[in-house]
Amino acid sequence: MAHHDPNARTVLVTGAAGSLAQRVISRLYWKYQVIAVDFRRRVETDADIPSYLVDMQKRGFEDIFRRHKIDAVLHLGRIFAHESTRLRRYNANVLGSRRLLELSRKYGVDQVLIHSTYFVYGASPYNPALLTEDAPLKASEVTQDLVDAVELESLAQIWLWKHPELNLTILRPCNILGPGVRNSMSLLLSRRVAPVLLGYSPMMQFLHVDDMADAVVAAFERNARGVYNVAPADYIPYQEAVRQAGCQRLPVLSVPPALPRMVSYALNWGAFFPPYLINYFKYPVILDGSLFADTFDWKPTRGLRDILEHYRAAKLRGN
């Protein structure tokens, strides 16, 4: 049983089935009242953590706010593009998030954290060497499939300025990797054979899911509103990352530009080499994470070697 102070803040965590949210919940569990919410599957939690399976746009979601006096919301639940259709994803990621913000305001929540993604910057040959938080968000002009990510960000930024009482924090992490992570890059590095674009090996940043969980908790506890990149100061060429993860490289021709997309569709590589992310395997998107690190006194504890070793070891074990 957790030793809760009856006056402890009550924190609602969305996306509770995901490996990041699970780690965040276990870090908050001893100090706060935690409520777990997911819209994909019900989450098994410790006995005294209420867990709900809800559709954020349906009426049942508001009941949670009525039933519990929620002080803070950590919105970690985003549906990845490979998990769903464009429309369902838009509904969950954009409209669901808007509903979450409306309910937070209606029920006097005084802190909201939103987990965004570095994909919103868009991958382009003209990106500066280091992207700071005020760089323009270009992903939506690059691809329809990232529109929901950019719209969620735009929505969050409007709320950040219109409703200072929500103390909104938006986190844009680089690639999150590690045990249990189900995003495209993690699925790709888990494979024995990984596609690489011939002639391209952009620099990439990787963050261990435990470091990201620490970052979320730091952002929650220090509560400084604003937009922050979350990324380590080191990076590695993509093809080298693939090699260190123990994958064999499978070169894919990158010209004409439609070719890698066709290959991805034809071989059904959508989950780990999705056509809309092809540019991210061509051009670097390197984040300047110094604002977050300085504001929240955070730095990652696991280096690239550690992170990639997990994928190599899993292959050696025959997983």
Side-chain angles (χ1 to χ4, degrees):
M1 194 72 175
H3 311 293
H4 288 308
D5 167 358
N7 304 318
R9 283 163 68 75
T10 298
V11 188
L12 176 89
V13 180
T14 73
S19 74
L20 171 61
Q22 296 267 303
R23 286 168 164 83
V24 169
I25 288 169
S26 70
R27 284 160 172 72
L28 297 176
Y29 176 68
W30 295 102
K31 281 166 75 178
Y32 306 96
Q33 306 278 352
V34 179
I35 296 165
V37 166
D38 201 275
F39 33 85
R40 288 161 294 200
R41 55 188 183 277
R42 180 177 285 285
V43 188
E44 291 302 316
T45 54
D46 288 287
D48 54 343
I49 296 183
S51 170
Y52 298 96
L53 173 65
V54 291
D55 180 332
M56 291 203 298
Q57 292 171 268
K58 298 240 168 76
R59 276 182 53 185
F61 190 41
E62 183 163 358
D63 294 341
I64 299 170
F65 284 82
R66 276 202 206 100
R67 198 171 301 150
H68 306 274
K69 169 73 187 89
I70 294 166
D71 299 297
V73 171
L74 306 184
H75 185 25
L76 307 181
R78 283 201 7 266
I79 295 185
F80 297 126
H82 65 265
E83 292 182 313
S84 190
T85 63
R86 208 179 267 174
L87 181 68
R88 251 200 81 218
R89 203 168 64 236
Y90 183 86
N91 285 342
N93 291 349
V94 183
L95 304 181
S97 300
R98 187 174 72 197
R99 180 93 179 108
L100 180 72
L101 289 166
E102 287 165 353
L103 289 171
S104 297
R105 187 164 170 247
K106 178 174 174 181
Y107 287 91
V109 171
D110 63 17
Q111 189 183 0
V112 178
L113 179 143
I114 291 185
H115 176 259
S116 181
T117 167
Y118 79 103
F119 290 147
V120 295
Y121 289 113
S124 118
Y126 310 111
N127 276 345
L130 271 181
L131 287 152
T132 53
E133 287 80 359
D134 47 16
L137 306 185
K138 296 198 289 240
S140 53
E141 48 188 75
V142 180
T143 158
Q144 270 304 116
D145 281 285
L146 289 170
V147 164
D148 62 296
V150 176
E151 289 226 6
L152 169 56
E153 264 266 0
S154 309
L155 173 78
Q157 288 191 37
I158 291 167
W159 280 72
L160 173 67
W161 299 116
K162 266 178 70 175
H163 301 292
E165 73 279 9
L166 284 179
N167 284 301
L168 196 62
T169 305
I170 302 167
L171 301 185
R172 292 178 189 153
C174 62
N175 291 297
I176 298 172
L177 294 178
V181 177
R182 305 283 304 149
N183 60 24
S184 295
M185 187 57 70
S186 187
L187 295 174
L188 187 144
L189 294 176
S190 301
R191 290 171 49 86
R192 298 209 168 273
V193 178
V196 300
L197 290 179
L198 210 57
Y200 291 98
S201 185
M203 288 293 178
M204 288 191 176
Q205 286 159 305
F206 300 113
L207 188 59
H208 193 282
V209 61
D210 281 322
D211 283 324
M212 183 60 191
D214 291 340
V216 169
V217 172
F220 162 64
E221 293 194 321
R222 294 200 170 212
N223 192 5
R225 55 194 289 272
V227 182
Y228 301 93
N229 292 331
V230 186
D234 57 351
Y235 27 89
I236 186 174
Y238 167 62
Q239 296 213 20
E240 177 57 22
V242 165
R243 197 185 63 75
Q244 286 191 26
C247 311
Q248 280 179 290
R249 287 171 289 184
L250 176 63
V252 175
L253 282 172
S254 61
V255 285
L259 193 65
R261 289 192 180 88
M262 284 161 58
V263 171
S264 177
Y265 280 127
L267 299 177
N268 204 8
W269 283 354
F272 58 87
F273 196 65
Y276 64 92
L277 290 187
I278 296 294
N279 278 352
Y280 294 81
F281 294 99
K282 273 189 181 177
Y283 310 117
V285 184
I286 298 293
L287 307 182
D288 179 344
S290 57
L291 179 67
F292 183 84
D294 296 346
T295 307
F296 298 100
D297 189 25
W298 169 90
K299 63 173 193 292
T301 57
R302 293 159 189 80
L304 281 164
R305 182 165 304 179
D306 263 10
I307 293 171
L308 294 167
E309 177 56 37
H310 160 73
Y311 295 91
R312 176 185 286 272
K315 290 183 186 66
L316 293 175
R317 288 196 309 268
N319 293 1

